[in-house]
Amino acid sequence: KILAETLRVAGLPVMLEPGLDAEAVLAATRTDKKARSGDIHYAVPGRIGEFRADEKGQWTKALPDDVVRESMARLSVTR
């Protein structure tokens, strides 16, 4: 709640725009520089403002499409 309020005060969005299609987002991210071997890699903070490399020195991690879809659904203004 603190993060959402901070974003609102700064004039930044806290929800996804209506009509944003999860499948289109996933398709677009497959062409991103963080896509490797068919997996899409995301920078996922350990907590707000904190990123750490994993034990292999990687700063990003592959997330299943279902996790991305669920995250987008939770941030949708139409839910």
Side-chain angles (χ1 to χ4, degrees):
K1 292 183 180 188
I2 294 171
L3 177 58
E5 185 57 29
T6 301
L7 292 171
R8 276 190 203 90
V9 169
L12 297 170
V14 294
M15 302 297 281
L16 296 178
E17 292 293 322
L20 186 62
D21 179 49
E23 298 309 314
V25 170
L26 287 167
T29 57
R30 292 195 195 295
T31 63
D32 187 80
K33 64 184 177 188
K34 291 181 288 300
R36 295 190 275 289
S37 303
D39 293 326
I40 305 168
H41 290 245
Y42 298 87
V44 180
R47 63 180 204 207
I48 296 173
E50 179 181 279
F51 289 88
R52 291 186 185 170
D54 66 14
E55 60 279 350
K56 296 179 182 178
Q58 299 295 311
W59 290 91
T60 61
K61 65 186 296 181
L63 294 178
D65 289 352
D66 288 344
V67 171
V68 176
R69 286 184 193 100
E70 175 63 24
S71 297
M72 290 183 69
R74 288 176 179 227
L75 294 171
S76 173
V77 294
T78 59
R79 66 180 177 112

